Amino acid sequence: MAALGGDGLRLLSVSGPEPEPESAALNGAGPGLCCWVSVCSCLSLACSYVGSLYVWKSELPRDHPAVIKRRFTSVLVVSSLSPLCVLLWRELTGLQPGISLFTLMGFRLEGIFPAALLPLLLTMILFLGPLMQLSMDCPWDLADGLKVALAPQAWARCLTDMRWLRNQVIAPLTEELVFRACMLPMLAPCTGLGPAIFTCPLFFGVAHFHHVIEQLRFRQGSVGSIFLSAAFQFSYTAVFGAYTAFLFIRTGHLIGPVLCHSFCNYMGFPAVCAALEHPQRCPLLVGYVLGVGLFLLLLQPLTEPRLYSSLPLCLLLDRTGASATSLCS
């Protein structure tokens, strides 16, 4: 992107009356080189994540329990090792954030309760229309639905369902860890926080193109329809990735993006066409519009940084001398 190589990467200042020269602060690495290191590190993470899904040779489809279990193993290994990539990036660029690696990646207790609840609430407001549609089509009333949802037997079935574990637990946790918690700290000093929100999801969106390989392999549609579906999925995942990147920066926590990711995986893409043909179309459309309107109205207040204490990425930019943005206040 054009943002790469911009003024997002200022160099580390050392306490004292005189700032240390740029070359000394970065151990001889210039801004251009640091940006290349950041982009290459993110690209290697994305390739490693997707590549880990294909280390197992199998003729079975991706939804087969045996395939899912094997991929759990490889993707968890890659995700567990991904913080090492951030450590290597820090050594190559010479940047010293002044905070621990885990804090920088959103693993911290300070402000964790609002960071878990408010982003999820905000996302549920956005999905007001689909949630209304789901409740209208549900065969149970509210009381029976809550009994089913809270029943231990229902959760036991979920925890033994490999597809549920993949979509609601493993994928949200590992994808947000790799594509947000690891990539954003590396991109932000190079591009600045604003451009990083839109740069980071590109890696996330491209990483989902591997589904094309399996769809072509198992002939799950015509070539044109498969690539059209892939283009739509890239657009949707890129927009969603920008949203969770925004949440990660504004809250300084990983838990919010993970919970929102899991919720969106459960809801899927809003069935707007089905809503237009629904017997209760008018209230549903009102719900869709009201949800989007309330989401836009509450986006800034519910992600107000003061609710979540200090923001690690903003502290990182302060240490590198970059000017603060509206995302930090």
Side-chain angles (χ1 to χ4, degrees):
M1 288 181 66
L4 295 179
D7 63 349
L9 182 56
R10 307 289 176 80
L11 302 178
L12 181 64
S13 298
V14 181
S15 59
E18 293 293 334
E20 194 170 305
E22 291 185 352
S23 58
L26 285 178
N27 296 330
L33 177 59
C34 290
C35 283
W36 278 110
V37 171
S38 299
V39 172
C40 290
S41 298
C42 292
L43 186 60
S44 65
L45 271 179
C47 292
S48 299
Y49 187 92
V50 176
S52 70
L53 302 175
Y54 292 95
V55 295
W56 311 98
K57 292 185 178 180
S58 175
E59 298 300 322
L60 299 172
R62 64 185 294 266
D63 288 335
H64 193 281
V67 174
I68 295 175
K69 288 179 182 179
R70 291 173 182 172
R71 289 183 169 184
F72 277 2
T73 303
S74 55
V75 83
L76 285 172
V77 169
V78 169
S79 301
S80 300
L81 296 176
S82 59
L84 296 178
C85 188
V86 184
L87 285 175
L88 179 60
W89 163 83
R90 191 173 66 180
E91 292 301 318
L92 291 175
T93 60
L95 286 172
Q96 300 300 324
I99 52 179
S100 71
L101 177 65
F102 288 111
T103 299
L104 190 64
M105 293 172 58
F107 293 98
R108 60 195 185 104
L109 293 177
E110 193 177 22
I112 191 170
F113 291 111
L117 297 176
L118 295 182
L120 182 58
L121 174 63
L122 182 65
T123 307
M124 293 177 73
I125 290 172
L126 176 62
F127 277 79
L128 177 62
L131 285 171
M132 289 174 58
Q133 191 171 347
L134 188 64
S135 66
M136 289 177 180
D137 296 338
C138 182
W140 304 301
D141 59 23
L142 179 60
D144 291 337
L146 287 175
K147 287 180 182 178
V148 172
L150 298 176
Q153 299 87 342
W155 283 100
R157 284 194 298 270
C158 290
L159 293 174
T160 56
D161 184 344
M162 291 297 104
R163 291 183 63 181
W164 187 91
L165 284 173
R166 179 192 64 192
N167 296 337
Q168 311 309 137
V169 180
I170 302 299
L173 178 60
T174 58
E175 289 179 1
E176 294 304 319
L177 173 62
V178 171
F179 291 95
R180 246 66 70 186
C182 288
M183 289 190 182
L184 280 171
M186 294 190 290
L187 286 173
C190 174
T191 65
L193 289 178
I197 287 178
F198 299 101
T199 306
C200 187
L202 297 180
F203 296 99
F204 183 60
V206 170
H208 283 76
F209 262 105
H210 72 92
H211 293 309
V212 173
I213 300 173
E214 295 182 346
Q215 290 173 346
L216 290 173
R217 180 182 172 191
F218 292 100
R219 293 182 171 84
Q220 297 175 351
S222 64
V223 175
S225 64
I226 289 174
F227 277 96
L228 185 62
S229 174
F232 174 77
Q233 187 178 34
F234 169 79
S235 303
Y236 177 60
T237 53
V239 171
F240 174 77
Y243 172 57
T244 54
F246 174 85
L247 292 177
F248 181 83
I249 291 172
R250 293 275 288 180
T251 66
H253 283 270
L254 182 62
I255 188 170
V258 170
L259 293 177
C260 292
H261 194 146
S262 181
F263 173 78
C264 290
N265 277 1
Y266 174 77
M267 294 298 297
F269 191 81
V272 180
C273 293
L276 291 173
E277 299 174 356
H278 199 277
Q280 302 185 55
R281 177 177 59 187
C282 290
L284 268 183
L285 293 180
V286 170
Y288 270 83
V289 174
L290 184 62
V292 173
L294 287 174
F295 171 80
L296 295 175
L297 185 66
L298 296 172
L299 180 61
Q300 294 290 336
L302 290 185
T303 60
E304 173 61 45
R306 285 177 293 183
L307 297 171
Y308 311 100
S309 189
S310 59
L311 302 184
L313 286 184
C314 295
L315 293 176
L316 173 63
L317 292 192
D318 287 341
R319 294 277 296 182
T320 60
S323 57
T325 68
S326 59
L327 291 170
C328 295
S329 60

